[in-house]
């Protein structure tokens, strides 16, 4: 790290500790040339994720959109806030593990559907009815029959 006072590249870390936000590390450094001390902060660099919508428009990824959809689906269901938060974390991990700069919204939707199915089946059907845009009762029944056959296969 270059010294901000004398611009020499020789500095050393004297002290390291987590910063107040818990997401970065605060480092106290000292320049070997001039002896002055300064503080630096180190944090993980994340690549901005772009979501390609169905209409081909692009927007930045927003965790709150997934969160609101799952919370709406789990309304009046026996699902705790902790379970919802863990589910969203799992979804985000899977999305970011794709290591892509751009992800289609349909890919994100399928990941959400897969994770929410394990969370609560009624929430899954609620989410699926909005996400898959069920047009009539038959498409709704088809999704239910898939869910029921998957459950009978597990037994």
């Amino acid at each position: 790290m270059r010294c901000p006072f004398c611009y020499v590249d020789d500095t050393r870390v004297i002290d390291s500790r987590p910063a107040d936000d818990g997401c970065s590390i605060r480092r106290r450094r000292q320049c070997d040339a001039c002896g002055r001390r300064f503080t630096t902060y180190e944090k993980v660099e994340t690549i901005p994720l772009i979501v390609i919508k169905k209409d081909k428009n692009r927007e930045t990824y927003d965790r709150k959109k997934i969160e609101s959809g799952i919370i709406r689906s789990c309304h009046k269901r026996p699902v705790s806030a902790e379970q919802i938060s863990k589910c969203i974390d799992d979804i985000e991990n899977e999305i970011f593990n794709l290591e892509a700069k751009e992800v289609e919204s349909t890919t994100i939707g399928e990941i959400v559907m897969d994770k929410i199915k394990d969370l609560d089946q009624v929430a899954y059907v609620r989410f699926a009815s909005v996400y898959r845009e069920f047009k009539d009762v038959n498409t709704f029944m088809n999704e239910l029959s898939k869910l029921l056959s998957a459950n009978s296969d597990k037994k």
Side-chain angles (χ1 to χ4, degrees):
M1 173 65 67
R2 178 177 287 161
C3 173
F5 307 107
C6 69
Y7 305 106
V8 171
D9 287 334
D10 252 354
T11 63
R12 60 190 155 97
V13 176
I14 312 170
D15 181 42
S16 247
R17 65 180 70 170
D20 293 335
D21 64 359
C23 297
S24 58
I25 295 183
R26 179 184 180 271
R27 297 195 193 280
R28 257 331 253 161
R29 295 178 179 269
Q30 183 172 357
C31 176
D32 290 337
C34 70
R36 293 183 73 179
R37 293 182 177 191
F38 59 98
T39 303
T40 61
Y41 291 90
E42 181 180 317
K43 69 177 192 168
V44 174
E45 184 177 31
T46 57
I47 55 168
L49 182 65
I50 304 297
V51 178
I52 304 169
K53 307 295 280 178
K54 288 178 184 176
D55 63 1
K56 300 300 177 198
N57 281 334
R58 286 167 164 71
E59 63 182 49
T60 56
Y61 169 79
D62 185 2
R63 176 187 171 102
K64 289 182 175 129
K65 286 189 173 188
I66 292 174
E67 186 176 31
S68 69
I70 291 176
I71 288 171
R72 229 177 290 121
S73 299
C74 293
H75 184 67
K76 293 189 178 182
R77 297 296 307 151
V79 180
S80 69
E82 186 176 307
Q83 288 173 300
I84 291 172
S85 182
K86 183 180 179 336
C87 180
I88 295 167
D89 290 343
D90 291 346
I91 291 165
E92 273 195 335
N93 284 337
E94 194 165 327
I95 292 168
F96 285 107
N97 283 340
L98 296 173
E99 295 182 1
K101 292 181 180 178
E102 294 186 334
V103 177
E104 300 225 0
S105 61
T106 54
T107 303
I108 294 173
E110 292 302 321
I111 292 170
V112 172
M113 295 268 293
D114 188 48
K115 298 291 181 187
I116 205 170
K117 190 185 293 184
D118 299 331
L119 189 64
D120 184 83
Q121 291 182 346
V122 172
Y124 168 77
V125 172
R126 287 176 177 170
F127 188 88
S129 68
V130 173
Y131 175 70
R132 295 237 167 97
E133 299 173 346
F134 293 160
K135 302 289 185 225
D136 55 30
V137 176
N138 291 331
T139 53
F140 185 78
M141 291 304 293
N142 288 340
E143 192 66 35
L144 276 178
S145 59
K146 285 183 208 171
L147 183 63
L148 291 171
S149 68
N151 282 340
S152 64
D153 291 346
K154 288 181 183 178
K155 292 178 182 179

